[in-house]
Amino acid sequence: MEHEKVGIVEVAERAGVSVATVSRVLNRRTGVSPKTRQAVERVLEELGYERSATGGGVIGVITPGLSIPIFGVLAERIGLALAPHGLRAVVCPALPGGVQERDFLKSLLDLGASGIVFCSASNTLDAVDPELVPMLESRAVPYVCINGRFEEGSSVAYSTDDGYAAELSVRHLHQLGHRRIGMAAGPVGNRPADRRVKGYRAAMAAVGLDPEGLVVRQTYSVEGGRFAAEQLLDQGATAVIACSDQMALGAIRAARRQGLAVPGDVSVIGYDDGPLMEFTDPPLTTVRQPVDRLAAEVARGLVGLLAGRQVPVGELMFQPEVVVRGTTGPHHDRRPPS
């Protein structure tokens, strides 16, 4: 067998161990007996396996396109948190649920990647590619999720509390005197978006407001935010809760195209607190995801799994916070367009 064609699967089969065990040996991790470690090392030598060509020590971070700033920041923080443990993060941008995401995952596993982080990827979708989780489980490769977990399998997830984020937004705008509070939400079937809508409806009911007709589902983009805000403004909304900072920027654009001032006529609150949001005009009021805490916990959980330690299965929720800037203000009767 030519050494350049040898993969981690072949090594595992020849040694009679799991792929995860070979990965632990390659990464010099604990959880492998001396006898098993010697057997794997012997097979590596027999097959001429080149360690420099392996993905051992590599963690694949599968995330939506890096044009969305918060995902670039989160991937960077994860990489920094993993580095002290001798692990290298490789960022794989792909649309959730698409063929590219599956191809990235297969390539990472074939190269012997030590672990996978699903960062707001397929783990956020109700309709999941049925091949993903079985592919991971069959290779026994540790993986963790951010902002949603796979229903099948034994996944570990670390998520921002989206329902509470919506509650914070409603509460902030209600305290400013707004009563027609609309939501520009993400698409149906996206778990974070669905959770925010549920949290928004509950929060509106808690303060005695009727949310009927004030939720518009769109894409997480400037264009999606603008389209949703146009409909909400037509319904008389004086405030818009956007489910991403990009959607919030689109909502501001929609208001200005109708001759409305932000926040004089319409208040807008975003979500994420990505880079540069404090430098928009006016600076964007938004709900901040606890990126540093999420990244640190993701790294801690993944390192624990790689070391063979027990990590609680389920979804750990992190609390967000409202960052008040210049796009939200007291309710005023809307002025007629000039």
Side-chain angles (χ1 to χ4, degrees), residues 183-205:
M183 172 171 271
V188 175
N190 175 271
R191 289 201 187 104
D194 291 344
R195 289 170 175 176
R196 283 172 219 159
V197 170
K198 183 178 179 180
Y200 158 82
R201 292 187 184 280
M204 290 284 280

Side-chain angles (χ1 to χ4, degrees), residues 26 46 53-54 58 115 143 185 299:
L26 289 169
E46 290 173 357
T54 181
V58 166
Y143 64 98

Side-chain angles (χ1 to χ4, degrees), residues 119-140:
C119 178
S120 291
S122 274
N123 57 296
T124 63
L125 303 180
D126 283 341
V128 181
D129 183 341
E131 294 184 22
L132 289 186
V133 174
M135 194 186 304
L136 284 161
E137 301 283 354
S138 66
R139 301 286 187 95

Side-chain angles (χ1 to χ4, degrees), residues 12-321:
E13 289 176 351
R14 178 74 70 89
V17 299
S18 68
V19 172
T21 297
V22 177
S23 179
R24 290 192 185 102
V25 172
L26 289 169
N27 292 305
R28 297 177 175 83
R29 299 292 171 193
T30 59
V32 182
S33 69
K35 181 179 179 181
T36 300
R37 189 179 297 276
Q38 289 173 7
V40 173
E41 292 282 4
R42 185 166 57 251
V43 171
L44 289 169
E45 185 176 350
E46 290 173 357
L47 295 180
Y49 192 86
E50 292 187 17
R51 292 173 187 263
S52 61
T54 181
V58 166
I59 303 298
V61 181
I62 301 178
T63 183
L66 297 180
S67 59
I68 302 174
I70 193 66
F71 295 127
V73 174
L74 192 49
E76 179 186 54
R77 297 291 196 279
I78 292 169
L80 291 173
L82 289 170
H85 302 280
L87 300 169
R88 296 159 291 160
V90 174
V91 182
C92 304
L95 291 175
V99 173
Q100 188 181 25
E101 184 182 26
R102 190 194 320 131
D103 289 345
F104 267 134
L105 181 59
K106 187 175 185 304
S107 295
L108 287 164
L109 296 178
D110 288 345
L111 287 170
S114 298
I116 305 293
V117 177
F118 289 93
C119 178
S120 291
S122 274
N123 57 296
T124 63
L125 303 180
D126 283 341
V128 181
D129 183 341
E131 294 184 22
L132 289 186
V133 174
M135 194 186 304
L136 284 161
E137 301 283 354
S138 66
R139 301 286 187 95
V141 175
Y143 64 98
V144 298
C145 304
I146 299 176
N147 288 335
R149 67 184 294 269
F150 293 110
E151 294 301 323
E152 57 178 307
S154 54
S155 60
V156 178
Y158 306 96
S159 306
T160 302
D161 191 334
D162 292 296
Y164 183 60
E167 178 187 334
L168 289 176
S169 300
V170 170
R171 191 188 306 163
H172 171 64
L173 294 167
H174 184 263
Q175 288 172 348
L176 290 171
H178 293 278
R179 298 298 180 262
R180 295 289 291 172
I181 302 170
M183 172 171 271
V188 175
N190 175 271
R191 289 201 187 104
D194 291 344
R195 289 170 175 176
R196 283 172 219 159
V197 170
K198 183 178 179 180
Y200 158 82
R201 292 187 184 280
M204 290 284 280
V207 294
L209 299 179
D210 183 6
E212 192 62 37
L214 290 175
V215 176
V216 179
R217 308 297 291 259
Q218 258 296 332
T219 58
Y220 288 116
S221 64
V222 172
E223 293 76 17
R226 192 190 79 189
F227 181 87
E230 287 172 351
Q231 296 185 57
L232 293 171
L233 293 173
D234 288 345
Q235 293 295 320
T238 66
V240 175
I241 298 171
C243 280
S244 75
D245 289 341
Q246 282 63 41
M247 295 185 85
L249 296 179
I252 293 171
R253 180 172 293 181
R256 287 176 173 167
R257 286 191 174 186
Q258 293 189 19
L260 302 172
V262 176
D265 299 308
V266 179
S267 285
V268 176
I269 183 169
Y271 183 85
D272 284 337
D273 193 30
L276 305 181
M277 290 304 105
E278 62 182 304
F279 302 108
T280 59
D281 183 22
L284 183 68
T285 295
T286 187
V287 177
R288 175 182 292 163
Q289 290 205 62
V291 171
D292 288 334
R293 299 205 312 276
L294 276 169
E297 203 62 40
V298 163
R300 187 178 295 113
L302 194 53
V303 168
L305 290 171
L306 286 167
R309 296 194 295 268
Q310 269 199 330
V311 175
V313 174
E315 190 168 11
L316 185 63
M317 291 290 184
F318 291 73
Q319 286 197 355
E321 61 179 322

